[in-house]
Amino acid sequence: MSKRQLFLFLSLLISAISLQAQNRFTLSGTITEASSNETLIGVTIAFPELKTGVTTNEYGFYSITLPQGEYEVIVSYLGFQEVRETINLSLNIKKDFELNEEAEQLDEVIVSENPERLDIVKPQMSVNTLAVQTIKQIPVVLGEADVIKSLLLLPGVSNAGEASSGFNVRGGAADQNLILLDEAIVFNSSHLFGFFSVFNPDAIKDVKLFKGGIPARYGGRLSSVLEIFQKEGNSKEFKVNGGIGAVASRLLVEGPIIKDRTAFLAGGRASYAHLFLPFFDIDNKAYFYDLNTKINHKINDRNNIFLSGYFGRDLFSINDSFVNTYGNAVGNFRWNHLFSDKLFSNLSIIYSDYFYGLELDFVGFEWDSGIQNFNLKYDLKHYINDKFQLNYGLNNIYYVFNPGEIKPNREDSGIVADQLTKKYANEAAAYVDVQHKVSERLSLNYGLRVSHFNRLGQDEFFVYENDNAVIFDPSIGIYREGTPTDTISSSRGNSLDTFTNFEPRISLSYNFNGKSSVKASYTRLAQYLHLLSNTNSPTPLDVWTPSGPFVEPQLLDQYAIGYFQNIKDGVFALETELFYKDIQNRIDYIDGANLIANNAIEQVILNGEARAYGLEILFRKNEGRFKGWLAYTLSKSEQRTPARTSTETNGISPLETGINSGKWYNTPYDKTHDISVFGSFDINEKWNFNANFVYQTGQPTNYPIGQFEFQGITIPFFGERNVERLPAYHRLDISATLTPKRNKRKKVQSEWVFSIYNAYNRMNAASINFRENEDSGRNEALRTSIFGIIPAVTYNFRF
């Protein structure tokens, strides 16, 4: 090809590209709820003629670039009236839509972000979304609507039993879940040691759980991302709603500060069951309270700012001699800026704090610990065209870990004040994520996250011979704590250790006919924080520690493949997924490890590995008077810590056995079978009935396999880890909601919720302990149960 021909070809190519660009225009805007100006997440904007569309982002914004022409656009969102308009796309258009609630709105069960065809086409998989109204329908203990308890009815999600904190996703530990409230990290998601979650359902707008195929914008945890957004507040009129329950009440107020521009939201909850304890001569106390706040202001069409916060506290005391206080505090300032009709940005400045306090008056001391982080995020969404969207951004988190501070609470206590060594770290990340519609059948999500973790200097750091903080004693076959040979002090500006990880992600969807598709994903994740706990579920006393010398970051590779089908135009839906997870550097504890007030935690932990795999099935009915779903999970979750490699220089004994003889063993959250059924039936406009049934394989545990006597004391001994199981767990919960006939003249609308938790009074075992019968002298097993049958009544109102 001559230079002239090459020049001519390039000129024609450039001209064709320019002509194509000139004949393509962008439709963009924001979609809100007409009655409140609340932005709506996941609204579908579809163009049937082109068989394409887009959904709104976390702030209700959408953008799509299409060829010039006249098209019908359909804007749809469950529970709202559909909008159909004809758009003449001959220039760039900014078009905002307001959606009105359906006149006779049916409470929809939403377990997928988008019930239209686009959820089949989109490559995003392993994601569940629950509508707030569905969460309020699900019967739970003591009648209090609960986000976390509702998630447990989804496939692949479980917990360690009744009244347990946290949740487990696909065989992962509770500390492997990233919980975000308005983008702020929440380290403890439970009130009253697991009876309730910290999330007030009245203040929540959107709940989304990522179990796999996690987008590159998220990082720092291995198992899941639970993303929760609070409402923004009603900028049109004042609204009040709340509820009065058996053990707690709540109130939410929202309204305009400047109509249609500035709005506020303030919600509070508090429990009060402890107020009745003195009538029964009980001096103990157990209560919680929390506060949700938010202010949003529309500066102009291109700029919006948000200020949101959450504060919660729990208190548990026994005769005022033992007082336990813990809770979260988070705050977030966000700025949304629209550079153009194709480029949307969000800047967030976030503070998060988890505090744990303990006061033992009979001993004479107070104990305070916690973790703080300061987070700066900048995310951009670039809507290049209807087939290509680019997301990218930066994130930096600075951590301060306080393992514990002890101080006397009275002059004669005899306790010497002491501060365990504080730890510091910085986690930075950059990411790029692409949503790419290759053809009408094939769609891709692919991206890369690069994370860098810097363990910063601290006042006191122990040094060990041959860098062995844990020593194996071959004479008795056990691990014991190593002895420090030196102590060093380092300033914050220095690094004790650094880690850098590349975390690629890819998901794909192949659409067969608009009604069914096959999806697959691969996810690589790194987690630099570790929760130190020797219980099956998190407790307020658990301590977080950063990666560094002796503690490697956890690394995950997860593979998933699934088949998805909409049946009868989305009335029914079937989701099936197979997954496999491989985890490196999962820590385990040596026998007899002491985790409380331990200033050298590296002396009792070893790095191991974990794996989990399974099948998830979700069949749901989305429409009609009867709605609900059936979820089934068949899975396996295992862990092992083999013997460390022995060399001539590192001082490791060649006789080292590893933990559990280096063999695989069940994790405490391994559940072979997990079945959940939820159903909601609208009898008429007044009555709605709901029920859920749960069956789970009993969780792994340890039973003694023998005993011996030492100095007159009978001491049990145990075999391999987690080879036994508690009895199977199952229960049935039911509820009925009575909504009195609405009178449009009355400002106050109300409803009564009657619920029965554990309707057939199944006494599920929380634990089984063994003791010697005082009369017969024989050993016997003692089952401990948390709940039997529990009825409850809740009154909800709004005006």
Side-chain angles (χ1 to χ4, degrees), residues 567-751:
I567 305 169
K568 290 188 177 181
D569 296 325
V571 175
F572 299 92
L574 174 66
E575 304 177 26
T576 62
E577 291 193 37
L578 288 166
F579 68 88
Y580 180 84
K581 299 167 62 173
D582 181 72
I583 300 172
Q584 304 174 44
N585 303 324
R586 179 63 184 167
I587 63 173
D588 204 347
Y589 310 101
I590 65 176
D591 292 330
N594 178 26
L595 304 180
I596 300 176
N598 191 334
N599 209 23
I601 201 68
E602 67 274 4
Q603 296 177 354
V604 296
I605 60 177
L606 293 171
N607 290 313
E609 59 183 329
R611 65 186 181 192
Y613 46 91
L615 166 69
E616 298 175 357
I617 300 175
L618 177 64
F619 180 77
R620 53 191 171 91
K621 185 175 184 293
N622 295 320
E623 301 176 16
R625 296 173 62 189
F626 175 76
K627 302 174 290 290
W629 67 78
L630 166 66
Y632 172 67
T633 306
L634 172 67
S635 63
K636 187 69 177 176
S637 176
E638 299 176 300
Q639 183 173 340
R640 73 167 178 172
T641 306
R644 296 170 294 180
T645 303
S646 176
T647 68
E648 295 181 358
T649 58
N650 63 11
I652 296 176
S653 169
L655 301 177
E656 184 172 315
T657 61
I659 295 177
N660 202 55
S661 300
K663 295 184 293 186
W664 289 99
Y665 62 91
N666 296 325
T667 64
Y669 23 89
D670 174 62
K671 303 286 180 70
T672 307
H673 302 283
D674 188 345
I675 302 173
S676 300
V677 183
F678 169 71
S680 176
F681 183 64
D682 296 313
I683 294 181
N684 51 41
E685 292 184 3
K686 287 186 176 182
W687 285 99
N688 166 263
F689 282 87
N690 305 279
N692 50 259
F693 173 77
V694 176
Y695 175 90
Q696 296 176 351
T697 301
Q699 69 186 58
T701 188
N702 295 291
Y703 296 150
I705 60 174
Q707 64 184 33
F708 62 91
E709 288 192 6
F710 178 74
Q711 296 182 353
I713 301 175
T714 300
I715 301 175
F717 64 91
F718 298 82
E720 296 182 343
R721 292 196 180 190
N722 292 342
V723 295
E724 307 290 346
R725 287 186 182 271
L726 295 176
Y729 178 98
H730 54 88
R731 72 169 200 276
L732 172 68
D733 311 324
I734 58 176
S735 71
T737 301
L738 171 62
T739 305
K741 188 174 182 180
R742 294 185 179 182
N743 185 342
K744 295 182 179 179
R745 297 179 181 179
K746 293 179 61 176
K747 292 185 177 180
V748 180
Q749 304 294 333
S750 62
E751 66 179 19

Side-chain angles (χ1 to χ4, degrees), residues 349-367:
I349 302 173
I350 307 167
Y351 169 77
S352 176
D353 172 70
Y354 174 68
F355 167 81
Y356 176 84
L358 183 65
E359 182 177 353
L360 299 179
D361 190 63
F362 60 92
V363 180
F365 77 85
E366 295 179 4
W367 172 271

Side-chain angles (χ1 to χ4, degrees), residues 270-469:
S271 65
Y272 41 70
H274 66 285
L275 298 177
F276 302 100
L277 295 180
F279 294 104
F280 303 95
D281 294 326
I282 299 176
D283 295 333
N284 302 344
K285 296 178 182 178
Y287 64 86
F288 74 87
Y289 61 89
D290 55 29
L291 176 67
N292 298 79
T293 61
K294 196 165 188 177
I295 294 176
N296 80 84
H297 174 65
K298 182 178 181 179
I299 300 174
N300 52 42
D301 289 341
R302 292 186 176 272
N303 295 278
N304 292 273
I305 57 174
F306 306 82
L307 182 62
S308 61
Y310 168 84
F311 180 83
R313 279 293 182 267
D314 281 72
L315 185 141
F316 174 73
S317 69
I318 301 176
N319 298 323
D320 292 329
S321 60
F322 173 93
V323 181
N324 178 204
T325 306
Y326 67 93
N328 300 278
V330 300
N332 184 7
F333 171 79
R334 284 177 290 167
W335 171 36
N336 289 171
H337 176 65
L338 193 61
F339 286 100
S340 69
D341 53 10
K342 293 185 178 183
L343 185 57
F344 178 92
S345 71
N346 177 70
L347 173 68
S348 297
I349 302 173
I350 307 167
Y351 169 77
S352 176
D353 172 70
Y354 174 68
F355 167 81
Y356 176 84
L358 183 65
E359 182 177 353
L360 299 179
D361 190 63
F362 60 92
V363 180
F365 77 85
E366 295 179 4
W367 172 271
D368 294 335
S369 64
I371 176 174
Q372 295 176 303
N373 73 72
F374 305 87
N375 188 356
L376 178 65
K377 292 174 74 266
Y378 192 51
D379 302 291
L380 297 104
K381 295 182 181 293
H382 199 164
Y383 301 84
I384 296 175
N385 55 47
D386 63 318
K387 293 181 172 57
F388 201 88
Q389 178 180 325
L390 192 63
N391 304 321
Y392 46 93
L394 302 169
N395 185 20
N396 191 83
I397 307 176
Y398 176 75
Y399 295 99
V400 179
F401 302 84
N402 179 13
E405 178 185 8
I406 188 172
K407 52 188 176 183
N409 65 351
R410 60 173 188 263
E411 294 183 359
D412 60 343
S413 70
I415 297 295
V416 178
D418 187 29
Q419 168 70 63
L420 298 183
T421 304
K422 290 186 177 182
K423 302 172 184 177
Y424 306 87
N426 193 83
E427 182 178 351
Y431 75 90
V432 59
D433 190 60
V434 177
Q435 298 179 23
H436 186 187
K437 185 177 180 181
V438 180
S439 67
E440 289 188 8
R441 292 185 179 272
L442 180 63
S443 298
L444 300 176
N445 270 14
Y446 48 92
L448 176 67
R449 181 181 183 89
V450 181
S451 58
H452 178 77
F453 191 81
N454 189 358
R455 175 71 181 274
L456 303 174
Q458 59 192 55
D459 295 338
E460 187 179 59
F461 184 78
F462 295 133
V463 178
Y464 301 88
E465 184 179 0
N466 296 322
D467 287 334
N468 285 331

